[in-house]
Each structure stands twice: as C-alpha cells, then as structure tokens.
C-alpha cells in the first residue's frame, strides 16, 4: 500500500494543481480492514446534550454503507456541543 503524504510536501491539496499524477483509491482499504465497528458496545453508548434520546447511539450504529444517509441525526438540545462516550 502506498501513501502519498510525502509526495505532497511543499504544496497544498487546496490549490487543485499537482505536478504529478496519483490517486487516493487505496486510502480507504486500511479503514475497512481494521474496523472498530465490531468492537463497539452499542448498548452502552452515552451522549450528553442530545435533543432526541438515543440519537447518539443511532448515529454511531450507522454502517459504512449508511454513512451518507441524513437520518438518524444527532443534534444538541442546549448548544452546538455534544459529548459522546463510545465504549
């Protein structure tokens, strides 16, 4: 697996111009191979300041395939800060 972190030394991703060709197609492979999802104790997840009870649990339970779905949504009832404890 190759990473291009060193390839970007001296220039920014933000400018949109690269002096060489490469892709990031392999960037997700390590995340899928070493997922913590199966180790999460979903019933024990706690969220402080959530406006809807258990919405924190519901958001964390979303699978990789569900990650772009808008629902469920986690919102705060007090301010824009949330604390989620994921054991």
């Amino acid at each position: 697996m190759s990473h291009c972190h060193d390839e970007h030394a001296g220039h920014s991703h933000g400018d949109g111009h690269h002096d060489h060709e490469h892709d990031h197609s392999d960037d997700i492979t390590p995340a899928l191979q070493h997922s913590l999802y199966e180790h999460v104790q979903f019933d024990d997840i706690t969220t402080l300041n959530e406006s809807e009870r258990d919405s924190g649990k519901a958001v964390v339970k979303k699978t990789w395939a569900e990650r772009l779905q808008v629902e469920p949504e986690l919102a705060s009832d007090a301010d824009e800060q949330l604390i989620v404890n994921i054991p």
Side-chain angles (χ1 to χ4, degrees), residues 12-32:
S12 167
H13 264 285
D15 64 5
H17 303 303
H18 292 282
D19 56 354
H20 57 277
E21 292 295 321
H22 68 274
D23 67 31
H24 293 269
S25 61
D26 67 339
D27 287 356
I28 194 166
T29 302
L32 294 176

Side-chain angles (χ1 to χ4, degrees), residues 13-66:
H13 264 285
D15 64 5
H17 303 303
H18 292 282
D19 56 354
H20 57 277
E21 292 295 321
H22 68 274
D23 67 31
H24 293 269
S25 61
D26 67 339
D27 287 356
I28 194 166
T29 302
L32 294 176
Q33 291 176 347
H34 303 288
S35 174
L36 294 175
Y37 192 84
E38 64 190 51
H39 303 285
V40 173
Q41 299 170 12
F42 293 104
D43 292 335
D44 297 329
I45 292 172
T46 55
T47 306
L48 302 179
N49 291 347
E50 63 185 348
S51 60
E52 184 178 328
R53 183 180 172 98
D54 293 333
S55 58
K57 288 180 185 183
V59 167
V60 175
K61 284 183 182 181
K62 288 170 64 170
T63 64
W64 179 257
E66 299 168 331

Side-chain angles (χ1 to χ4, degrees), residues 72-84:
E73 181 179 52
L74 177 57
S76 175
D77 63 354
D79 54 30
E80 56 193 44
Q81 295 185 7
L82 291 156
I83 297 175
V84 181

